[in-house]
Amino acid sequence: MALLSASNNTSALRTVLSLPVIVASLGYFVDVYDLLLFNIVRVPSLRELGLSEADISAIGAKIYNWQQAGLLIGGFFWGIWGDKMGRRSVLFGSILMYSLANIVCGFTNNVEVYSILRFIAGLGLAGELGAGITLIAEILPKHLRGYGASVVASVGLAGAIAAFFAVKLTDWRTAYFIGGGMGLILLVLRFNVLESFLFEKAIESKAKAVQWWTIFTKREKLIRYLRCMGIALPTYLVIGIYATFGNEFAKALGIPGDVQAGTCVLYAYIGIVTGDFFSGFLSQWLQSRRKAILIMLFMTFAGMVALLYGGINSATTLYICYGWLGFSIGYIAMFLTTTAEQFGTNLRATVTTSVANNVRATTLLTLPVFQYLKPDWGVLQAGASVGIVCFVLALLSLWKMEETYGKDLDYVEQ
């Protein structure tokens, strides 16, 4: 019996660590590396391009918005492409686009060209995570999908840590070359990745085409879609506000010394890597996506309370808190796996890919509100107010959401 159990465990491990899962994981690694790279090299790159200190902030924000616009548009473009032409084609097209854009960024000497390149990179980056999660959700046995999400997330989010150290050890141009080079190497590995059987089956059976916009015109689909976005709101609240403006929170807390926002983000991502690995196993152990996400939400809320009202008075304690917050929001791949499980094969890539990027872009709404409230309410109260709204919406989204653990994904939307 023990030998049988060991054999089953070995077989399950081989399945979870199959080529598509490894390739999706490495793709997400490069995705996160590139996504954060501009934020890290923004100031030194624009300074070298001849901008004054006064112009760097405004021009940097403009270029960042170009990248975000690329993510939003690309989320729908690659999602629709994935449901029409296959998940595998998205993995090829998206990584080729952002890898080449990365390499050219390393050569740029013009701010306008830099903006266009970050838009193109954003377009390419938009397809990576959603297509990867969709593919492994469809190829892994239903009782192993949570483990697959853990592997993808934990390997992928390590790209953020790699980006920080790449910039520390090299200059900004070389860091772009490294990102582009990694993407092109990964592109070669993808030639051996097979298409999703469920997608091929849907195509062969000539399943009735469902237009992507019915997600927004059909009430029941729209509710499902918004729930998938809502449960993830706290993730980019922590990344986009609490960690990114960690220096401002440190000052508001009266913490002595020079607390760097970049270090706060680094600790948060270290936490995310471990948290994403944990959350997948948690959902498998509980045999529930909803319960696992609920536990992670409560942990995140506890971290938010500790950050804002826990009396933190040292940089070390602050960094530990950001590590906890990162660990608690480490359900990013799992919420996307849940999203993939909520919709049929003929809309699955569109939904998963667009939700992934729409959640990233929620900072375009939460950040202006935070900045608006900050002058009158202060950093801590403004952060708490935005946080409470995000958590309420997340809990409402999770409430009555369909439990998809072990769900058969061999079906199409009508």
Side-chain angles (χ1 to χ4, degrees):
M1 195 72 175
L3 287 174
L4 182 61
S5 177
S7 175
N8 289 339
N9 288 338
T10 302
S11 177
L13 181 62
R14 285 188 187 134
T15 302
V16 170
L17 297 180
S18 60
L19 182 63
V21 176
I22 293 172
V23 168
S25 303
L26 294 175
Y28 190 28
F29 179 96
V30 180
D31 170 297
V32 175
Y33 176 100
D34 187 41
L35 190 64
L36 287 181
L37 188 57
F38 174 71
N39 288 345
I40 301 171
V41 305
R42 181 181 69 250
V43 173
S45 64
L46 293 178
R47 188 179 291 140
E48 187 177 313
L49 294 182
L51 271 67
S52 66
E53 294 298 323
D55 290 336
I56 285 176
S57 177
I59 299 298
K62 177 184 174 184
I63 296 175
Y64 178 74
N65 286 338
W66 273 102
Q67 179 177 287
Q68 293 301 100
L71 286 169
L72 284 171
I73 296 171
F76 284 99
F77 170 79
W78 289 114
I80 295 167
W81 182 278
D83 281 328
K84 298 291 184 185
M85 307 300 294
R87 290 64 164 121
R88 186 171 178 265
S89 63
V90 175
L91 293 179
F92 277 99
S94 63
I95 200 167
L96 180 62
M97 181 181 289
Y98 72 74
S99 295
L100 293 177
N102 246 6
I103 292 171
V104 181
C105 277
F107 290 106
T108 187
N109 290 300
N110 180 280
V111 171
E112 285 71 27
V113 173
Y114 201 2
S115 299
I116 294 170
L117 289 173
R118 292 321 300 164
F119 174 77
I120 295 172
L123 274 176
L125 286 164
E128 186 64 45
L129 179 57
I133 291 291
T134 301
L135 181 63
I136 66 169
E138 291 180 339
I139 65 171
L140 286 181
K142 57 188 177 183
H143 64 287
L144 295 178
R145 288 197 293 257
Y147 294 132
S150 287
V151 173
V152 170
S154 56
V155 173
L157 288 163
I161 301 170
F164 280 100
F165 284 104
V167 175
K168 276 185 175 292
L169 299 174
T170 65
D171 62 275
W172 67 273
R173 293 183 186 276
T174 304
Y176 274 126
F177 294 149
I178 291 171
M182 288 192 299
L184 293 179
I185 292 170
L186 181 58
L187 183 64
V188 176
L189 292 176
R190 290 188 165 171
F191 282 106
N192 291 322
V193 175
L194 299 177
E195 182 56 85
S196 159
F197 168 73
L198 293 183
F199 172 77
E200 291 183 332
K201 181 179 178 182
I203 294 297
E204 290 173 2
S205 66
K206 294 182 172 54
K208 181 182 177 182
V210 176
Q211 301 300 335
W212 65 270
W213 57 77
T214 60
I215 298 168
F216 304 103
T217 58
K218 301 293 185 180
R219 183 175 180 274
E220 187 272 334
K221 289 177 186 171
L222 178 61
I223 291 174
R224 268 188 285 159
Y225 187 85
L226 292 176
R227 284 184 188 278
C228 294
M229 284 185 58
I231 59 175
L233 285 175
T235 61
Y236 280 85
L237 166 75
V238 171
I239 296 169
I241 295 180
Y242 292 168
T244 300
F245 295 90
N247 57 326
E248 294 187 19
F249 283 96
K251 185 177 179 180
L253 290 166
I255 296 174
D258 183 22
V259 174
Q260 297 292 321
T263 307
C264 297
V265 174
L266 176 60
Y267 274 87
Y269 268 95
I270 291 173
I272 291 171
V273 170
T274 53
D276 254 305
F277 194 74
F278 167 78
S279 66
F281 280 84
L282 179 63
S283 75
Q284 293 295 125
W285 180 61
L286 296 172
Q287 296 190 5
S288 170
R289 306 280 188 246
R290 294 176 70 242
K291 290 178 182 177
I293 292 173
L294 182 63
I295 290 171
M296 301 299 280
L297 283 174
F298 280 134
M299 291 170 61
T300 308
F301 185 78
M304 182 189 78
V305 173
L307 172 68
L308 302 175
Y309 303 111
I312 295 175
N313 55 16
S314 72
T316 300
T317 307
L318 182 68
Y319 294 145
I320 291 173
C321 185
Y322 278 118
W324 171 268
L325 280 167
F327 181 87
S328 303
I329 63 168
Y331 62 94
I332 294 174
M334 187 169 63
F335 99 76
L336 286 174
T337 300
T338 303
T339 299
E341 293 169 337
Q342 294 282 335
F343 286 82
T345 305
N346 51 349
L347 280 181
R348 189 168 294 133
T350 300
V351 169
T352 308
T353 306
S354 61
V355 163
N357 293 287
N358 289 349
V359 170
R360 284 170 170 172
T362 53
T363 52
L364 296 176
L365 297 175
T366 57
L367 184 53
V369 174
F370 172 70
Q371 299 285 30
Y372 174 78
L373 295 176
K374 196 166 53 174
D376 294 329
W377 291 16
V379 172
L380 300 182
Q381 189 59 38
S385 300
V386 176
I388 288 171
V389 172
C390 289
F391 278 102
V392 168
L393 290 175
L395 290 172
L396 287 174
S397 298
L398 191 61
W399 183 50
K400 292 189 177 181
M401 190 178 201
E402 179 191 2
E403 175 58 67
T404 56
Y405 175 85
K407 181 179 179 180
D408 185 359
L409 299 187
D410 189 8
Y411 70 98
V412 295
E413 297 286 336
Q414 300 300 318

